[in-house]
Amino acid sequence: MAEYSATVSKPTLGVAPEDATSHHVRDSKGKLIGFQNPHPSAGVLRNTLQTVGKMFLSRLQGKMPAPDLSNVQIPVIKPYFLEEKSEAQNSDTKTLRATWLGHACYYVEYPNGLRVLFDPVFEDRCAPSRYLGPKRYTQPPCRLADIPKLDAIVISHSHYDHLSEPTVRELAANNPDAHFFVGLGLASWFRDTGIDKVTEMDWWEDATLTIKKPSTSDGKETMEEIEAQVSCLPCQHSSARTGWDKDTTLWCSFAIKSGGKSVWFGGDTGYRAVPEMPAEEDDYGPKYDSLPRCPHFKHIGELRGPFNLGLIPIGAYRPRWMWSGLHSNPYDAVEIFKDTKCEKAMAIHWGTWVLTIEEVEEPPKLLKEALKTSGLPETGVFDSCAIGETKEF
């Protein structure tokens, strides 16, 4: 009997807007050397030393207090995974199961048995050091070894809260057949880490993952085939793992369609850069209507949507003048949800590490306000959940 096998087609450009490669940065000889956010919605890149200096002064003046972690009430529960892929196929052929494992990490079980893990980071700190950098205030709901065998692992970009070397090493050891999908330029990092089953992709490229695995039906052993379309899509962000590799690898969102269901994973993204303003002012008020919005998401919705489920970031957004070009707040997230034509959505990119200065339990509360302001139901359309909780779609 043949064993499990997975093959990936060479990525090819799919349906895309005319400016599909405007994010490429090339040198005078035409060699690709990096990437950029091509739209005004990203704002102006600020000088790092000036930004750090302004942050330090603001903290001294009491304008940027650290969030209070003394009584955090974000629930963490033990996840329930379907032990066998046949359970997913036999339970309900129309059901997509999505389990939040903290921050941007989601484990998704498709109705045909496909299993995908997005942006897993299980370390205590999301930093180059075990001893410095943001430390977890909520714990992972399970061990990596508890996650059932994976078919695909998707990494949106190289920042430490989305890409962890110890995590991907352990996942690769536990799942030797799983394939990694990453943005352009990042495959060499994986190969240097000892992981060869990796496909790097550019925005608007599609690849087909084909899985063949033994299956038993009516007492007879057969080979079952599962096919998934993996699409690398745009977002508005940046990349770096050191002080000298900024924006040399691509940041992405991803869509995966399989078994009659589709998921769009936003990864980490901004939506519209806003200027510094008084705290009481609403940057979605009439005064700021003219601020440019990132067109990527309308393009995704129009050219690749609709999607059954969106996994959309809602956290790490204050102060807005600093982070709005790179991180979406809940009001941005609702606009992204509508632009991408997701039928339902779950919130990611909150509840795990202190990355910015908003109170850690504020994002889901603000999400309800944003939904109400937008005329959408406060629950049942775009929700948050406990870490470890599974929702079905």
Side-chain angles (χ1 to χ4, degrees):
M1 185 65 165
E3 297 182 351
Y4 179 106
S5 67
T7 58
V8 179
S9 67
K10 182 179 179 181
T12 57
L13 185 66
V15 181
E18 291 184 1
D19 61 347
T21 60
S22 59
H23 57 293
H24 290 183
V25 176
R26 298 184 180 276
D27 63 15
S28 59
K29 297 181 179 179
K31 180 183 177 181
L32 182 64
I33 58 172
F35 305 93
Q36 64 183 354
N37 291 302
H39 301 295
S41 54
V44 178
L45 187 64
R46 295 180 173 88
N47 179 280
T48 302
L49 290 178
Q50 290 177 337
T51 299
V52 171
K54 192 167 186 175
M55 283 180 61
F56 182 71
L57 180 60
S58 295
R59 283 192 178 276
L60 288 178
Q61 295 171 338
K63 296 178 181 179
M64 292 178 62
D68 181 9
L69 299 178
S70 61
N71 190 31
V72 175
Q73 300 293 317
I74 298 170
V76 180
I77 64 175
K78 183 179 179 180
Y80 169 68
F81 302 121
L82 300 180
E83 290 302 319
E84 299 293 336
K85 295 187 181 182
S86 58
E87 289 185 61
Q89 295 163 305
N90 295 334
S91 60
D92 182 347
T93 57
K94 297 182 180 179
T95 297
L96 181 81
R97 300 179 83 251
T99 305
W100 186 37
L101 301 181
H103 198 54
C105 181
Y106 249 92
Y107 171 74
V108 179
E109 299 162 291
Y110 286 75
N112 60 356
L114 180 77
R115 288 171 166 170
V116 182
L117 190 63
F118 295 91
D119 277 11
V121 178
F122 272 56
E123 273 55 62
D124 196 37
R125 296 185 187 272
C126 58
S129 169
R130 292 184 181 182
Y131 309 104
L132 298 172
K135 181 178 173 62
R136 279 183 180 269
Y137 58 85
T138 53
Q139 293 305 304
C142 63
R143 302 171 305 157
L144 285 171
D146 296 329
I147 300 173
K149 291 297 181 184
L150 296 163
D151 299 301
I153 301 164
V154 173
I155 304 295
S156 64
H157 66 295
S158 67
H159 286 157
Y160 283 87
D161 57 324
H162 297 259
L163 173 59
S164 158
E165 182 175 341
T167 290
V168 299
R169 281 185 183 276
E170 185 173 345
L171 283 170
N174 294 345
N175 301 271
D177 297 313
H179 203 88
F180 286 81
F181 292 90
V182 304
L184 209 60
L186 198 50
S188 61
W189 182 92
F190 279 81
R191 295 191 179 105
D192 290 344
T193 307
I195 297 170
D196 293 322
K197 291 183 178 178
V198 56
T199 295
E200 66 177 29
M201 303 175 68
D202 199 358
W203 289 353
W204 302 108
E205 285 189 335
D206 300 324
T208 300
L209 170 64
T210 303
I211 296 162
K212 294 181 180 180
K213 65 184 185 70
S215 178
T216 302
S217 179
D218 298 327
K220 297 179 180 180
E221 290 189 348
T222 60
M223 286 302 293
E224 178 188 3
E225 185 170 295
I226 295 174
E227 192 169 278
Q229 178 179 292
V230 180
S231 300
C232 179
L233 298 169
C235 64
Q236 181 172 284
H237 199 56
S238 65
S239 67
R241 288 185 74 78
T242 67
W244 51 87
D245 68 342
K246 181 173 172 54
D247 297 346
T248 57
T249 63
L250 187 58
W251 48 97
C252 318
S253 66
F254 279 87
I256 296 186
K257 299 181 179 182
S258 189
K261 292 289 185 177
S262 57
V263 176
W264 178 70
F265 174 65
D268 196 355
T269 186
Y271 185 64
R272 56 197 285 273
V274 303
E276 192 168 4
M277 63 183 69
E280 66 275 6
E281 283 198 4
D282 175 11
D283 62 67
Y284 269 98
K287 183 177 178 180
Y288 300 100
D289 273 350
S290 61
L291 291 178
R293 301 184 179 208
C294 183
H296 289 323
F297 306 104
K298 278 192 178 293
H299 292 159
I300 290 170
E302 291 166 358
L303 299 176
R304 299 304 184 90
F307 303 97
N308 298 110
L309 175 64
L311 303 173
I312 303 178
I314 67 166
Y317 50 80
R318 293 191 193 275
R320 287 281 277 162
W321 62 265
M322 180 183 297
W323 294 110
S324 55
L326 297 176
H327 289 164
S328 51
N329 76 356
Y331 283 86
D332 298 328
V334 170
E335 296 305 304
I336 291 171
F337 167 72
K338 293 188 295 185
D339 285 354
T340 52
K341 299 184 179 180
C342 293
E343 295 172 4
K344 299 289 180 69
M346 295 301 297
I348 63 171
H349 207 262
W350 74 282
T352 308
W353 293 285
V354 173
L355 302 177
T356 48
I357 65 168
E358 73 270 9
E359 289 301 323
V360 298
E361 294 178 87
E362 179 184 270
K365 297 174 184 176
L366 206 59
L367 176 60
K368 289 182 181 293
E369 294 179 15
L371 288 163
K372 184 177 180 180
T373 299
S374 195
L376 294 169
E378 293 181 43
T379 59
V381 175
F382 187 165
D383 293 322
S384 60
C385 67
I387 298 173
E389 185 175 357
T390 298
K391 297 287 187 178
E392 295 190 355
F393 303 89

